[in-house]
Amino acid sequence: MISTPYYLIDKAALLRNLRIIDQVRERSGAKVLLALKCFATWSVFDLMQQHMDGTTSSSLYEVKLGHQKFGGETHAYSVAFADHEIEEVVAHSDKIIFNSISQFERFASFAGDKPKGLRLNPGVSCASFDLADPARTFSRLGESDPARILAIIEDLDGVMIHNNCENRDFERFDELLTEVERRYGAILHKLNWVSLGGGISFTSPGYSLDAFCERLRRFAQTYGVQVYLEPGEAAVRHTTTLEVSVLDIGFKGKNLAVVDSSTEAHMLDLLIYRETAPIGTGQGDHTYQVCGKTCLAGDIFGEANFEQPLQVGDRISIGDAGGYTMVKKNWFNGIHMPAIAIKEIDGSVRVVRQFSFDDFVSSLS
Ligand SMILES: *Cc1c(COP(=O)(O)O)cnc(C)c1O
């Protein structure tokens, strides 16, 4: 038995999402790139690269990883490139997308023949958290003024617009895109490609896939552009669990179970976005608050029901641990970093990475 804690990526579950991605590619004509900032566990790229067109990135290291480990089309984007990075960024990418006109002007000449893009911020979004809202006031993410963008349009091949966030509602996506068309139509007509970013939950059950594909196809036709999508979460939702063991049981007005992992170190977004994780099957009459083992008072995965009273040594599966988890794990409290394991389509499980005390030491100096 593999010792806990470990992330377990289920390739069969991943394939379910990838098949939906295939449908969207076929029916809409859009190309689909994995957003590496959400998920960069390259041991499953062999499967993902069969169903996605490439990767998009947020930094030099991500663009290099995408180029080396995923292949296909590699989009480079960063909120700000540094002078010492730009040549390597260009060498590892097929397109370079600048966040601002000033970055565009500083670095466009380095891009040579490679297509250059700009991040367009339409000033509208569906984000419910200000922290993650690209349209928040004083946002540094992208350019909004049509006149300023039109001034450099001859040198632009495309734009990237990322203003959706876990948007499960096709109607809302449609409204936002219509608003983009209304304000930026003149710009869109002059481009070769438009990336609509990530944050669209089109792999969720019940999503209006037909309408979505039709909308993308129509958009591409209207402006004569290649559409790109950049899913992170939608590619990996419900594919991965964090497998943990119970270390201690207590009662402090509630049943508590302390496990050998931590939200802050291993599933950080639960804390940032005040969410709780789906835990186990949720069935049964025995309710516990499942807590992490760091000294952070609010290190709590969530509350869950179990069939039997929990005991020290019991194993628990924490759900939806694929996106924004492994890419954000850290050594807070020096606790054991979860290994990474893959469940193959045939059901066999193999550990692809383990971390040790030496990795902790070498992460500091
Ligand atoms: C974060 C991000 C994505 C991926 O977002 P998800 O919500 O994980 O789909 C795609 N494109 C850009 C520019 C991003 O910043």
Side-chain angles (χ1 to χ4, degrees), residues 35 37-38 56 77 119 160 162 164-166 197-200 230-234 324:
K37 82 160 194 272
C38 171
T56 188
Y77 164 73
R119 180 166 181 168
M160 182 269 279
H162 172 70
N164 284 280
C165 184
E166 304 233 351
I200 309 162
E230 304 176 347
E233 192 62 52
Y324 301 99

Side-chain angles (χ1 to χ4, degrees), residues 124-136:
V124 285
S125 83
C126 74
S128 52
F129 248 88
D130 194 48
L131 181 66
D133 182 1
R136 79 210 298 265

Side-chain angles (χ1 to χ4, degrees), residues 13-25:
L14 191 54
L15 192 55
R16 278 200 292 277
N17 291 341
L18 294 172
R19 291 215 164 103
I20 297 174
I21 288 174
D22 273 338
Q23 280 188 45
V24 170
R25 291 161 82 203

